[in-house]
Amino acid sequence: MNKQIAFLFLYSFVFISCSSKQSILNSEVKKTNSSDYFQFISSERIQTNLTVIASDEMEGRDTGTEGQKKAGRYIIDFYKKNGIGFPKGATSYYQPIPASYLNAKYDENLKDSENIWAFIEGSEKPDEIVVVSAHYDHIGIKVGEVFNGADDDGSGTVAIMEIAAAFQKAKNEGHGPKRSILILHVTGEEHGLHGSRYYSENPLFPLAKTVADVNIDMIGRRDKFHEDTNNYVYLIGSDYLSSDLFTICEEVNKKYNLLTLDYKYNDKKDPNRFYYRSDHYNFAKNGIPSVFLFNGTHEDYHKATDEVTKIEFDALTTRAKYAYAITWEIANRKDKLVVDKTDGR
């Protein structure tokens, strides 16, 4: 009888111990879901940051102006405060771009400017790079009016700042991405995609090791085709080079039930030609799978009335979470995205 009791006690201890370990393991597995960290993306911080970046103080952030440089310093201060460094191989958060390059195509008398980058190093495949991009320039002051560009592309700018903070939090808690994340704020988009073109011609990391670009340009509003809801996003280019990227964008959205995906502008023959008009294009034309997240144009597009007061922060935050979830999946999957199509142009 005593032996049986002892056996039962030992069996119970082992069972409970194993169950506890299993519970811990399940917790660890759960912690690697992107949802555990995209919930860190904060509508309040997004609003705080956008209120500064799209304020009159930044003078419309035209390329190379003091207003743009002031916005850049604010972005860098955010990264410093959140413990997010600049990339290995760089000497600062800046990739300087000379005026001679910026003016080579159109001679617009632009001054020297800078791309800004931040970096979360991968834990297992640090030399493979996933780029998350948005342009932080806008069109400045015209006829005495400040064009603040809250949606274009203040919304993308603050979104990738939050995405960087969420990845850094994951890394701090021992669940950082397997591949490295390069957060890239590009300049000169409004003058001809200059900053992203400069990076593609002068990459810090080899393009052959650049796995994908997730580009965000205008995600804070709704357009005339979605007057009844802001719970959507246009996806452009996800299926142009990689069937894997298209599948990830679809499956991640279904998994977390985030948004309605609209492919209205995904046709390369669409007369708006949005695929060719934002910074992902300078990656895609080099054979790098790229996806462009976009809310469409609206009545304030490229007008002085593109103000923070008109931003729909619930939509902006959900779209930022979606971009994070896409990036998480690309960065943590076992294999690189397959490039099984050839027409990035």
Side-chain angles (χ1 to χ4, degrees):
M1 186 67 174
N2 289 340
K3 288 183 179 179
Q4 288 178 327
I5 291 172
F7 175 78
L8 288 170
F9 177 82
L10 179 61
Y11 177 82
S12 299
F13 175 82
V14 171
F15 178 79
I16 291 167
S17 177
C18 289
S19 296
S20 298
K21 289 179 179 178
Q22 186 63 43
S23 176
I24 292 168
L25 288 173
N26 286 339
S27 176
E28 292 297 308
V29 170
K30 183 176 183 294
K31 208 60 173 167
T32 63
N33 287 335
S34 64
S35 62
D36 288 287
Y37 293 104
F38 76 44
Q39 298 302 339
F40 177 72
I41 291 174
S42 162
S43 181
E44 290 76 18
R45 272 196 308 271
I46 283 174
Q47 185 166 358
T48 297
N49 289 330
L50 186 57
T51 299
V52 174
I53 286 171
S55 67
D56 286 353
E57 183 183 354
M58 305 305 175
E59 301 175 339
R61 306 188 309 278
D62 198 7
T63 301
T65 63
E66 177 54 31
Q68 189 204 32
K69 293 178 188 297
K70 188 179 292 185
R73 291 192 290 271
Y74 181 86
I75 292 166
I76 290 169
D77 283 345
F78 174 86
Y79 291 133
K80 288 178 177 178
K81 288 174 184 175
N82 284 276
I84 304 166
F86 53 79
K88 286 188 173 181
T91 57
S92 74
Y93 288 95
Y94 294 115
Q95 182 185 34
I97 306 177
S100 58
Y101 183 92
L102 295 167
N103 292 301
K105 278 197 169 186
Y106 307 116
D107 194 18
E108 295 181 275
N109 198 32
L110 301 174
K111 297 179 180 179
D112 293 348
S113 190
E114 306 85 19
N115 291 333
I116 292 172
W117 46 31
F119 192 66
I120 295 93
E121 186 173 25
S123 59
E124 295 182 17
K125 300 179 180 183
D127 60 335
E128 293 184 12
I129 310 298
V130 184
V131 178
V132 183
S133 59
H135 71 92
Y136 74 108
D137 63 305
H138 194 51
I139 59 176
I141 301 173
K142 298 182 182 296
V143 198
E145 285 192 292
V146 181
F147 286 62
N148 284 319
D151 194 25
D152 184 15
D153 185 27
S155 61
T157 299
V158 296
I160 69 173
M161 291 163 68
E162 279 295 297
I163 288 167
F167 271 110
Q168 187 63 48
K169 178 176 175 60
K171 186 176 179 67
N172 292 346
E173 295 182 2
H175 302 287
K178 294 178 181 178
R179 295 176 176 84
S180 295
I181 309 295
L182 177 66
I183 304 294
L184 188 62
H185 297 267
V186 291
T187 187
E189 191 269 357
E190 299 286 10
H191 293 278
L193 312 185
H194 295 326
S196 55
R197 190 177 72 256
Y198 186 84
Y199 180 85
S200 72
E201 294 172 2
N202 303 272
L204 183 61
F205 303 101
L207 294 185
K209 290 288 190 177
T210 302
V211 175
D213 175 43
V214 178
N215 183 52
I216 304 174
D217 193 348
M218 297 176 59
I219 59 166
R221 297 279 296 272
R222 72 181 78 185
D223 67 4
K224 64 181 181 181
F225 301 110
H226 301 86
E227 291 180 350
D228 296 330
T229 181
N230 61 21
N231 193 48
Y232 74 95
V233 70
Y234 291 110
L235 285 192
I236 303 175
S238 65
D239 62 342
Y240 283 14
L241 285 167
S242 173
S243 56
D244 279 351
L245 180 55
F246 173 78
T247 300
I248 285 170
C249 292
E250 284 280 332
E251 290 186 350
V252 161
N253 189 57
K254 290 175 185 174
K255 180 177 181 179
Y256 298 113
N257 192 29
L258 291 169
L259 295 157
T260 296
L261 305 183
D262 194 326
Y263 291 97
K264 176 180 175 64
Y265 297 121
N266 195 51
D267 186 348
K268 291 180 191 175
K269 295 180 181 178
D270 180 82
N272 295 286
R273 292 176 60 81
F274 289 126
Y275 174 70
Y276 304 92
R277 290 170 53 184
S278 193
D279 294 294
H280 61 281
Y281 180 66
N282 283 314
F283 292 92
K285 74 180 186 182
N286 284 289
I288 297 167
S290 303
V291 60
F292 170 24
L293 281 69
F294 180 48
N295 56 215
T297 58
H298 43 72
E299 64 273 15
D300 300 305
Y301 175 67
H302 276 207
K303 293 182 180 178
T305 49
D306 182 7
E307 295 281 6
V308 173
T309 53
K310 296 184 178 180
I311 294 296
E312 300 181 55
F313 286 99
D314 57 342
L316 199 168
T317 303
T318 301
R319 292 162 181 162
K321 289 178 178 180
Y322 177 49
Y324 177 90
I326 293 169
T327 307
W328 174 282
E329 180 59 31
I330 295 169
N332 286 295
R333 71 199 310 265
K334 180 181 177 182
D335 299 316
K336 284 176 63 175
L337 297 180
V338 62
V339 180
D340 50 0
K341 303 179 183 182
T342 58
D343 188 11
R345 293 177 180 270

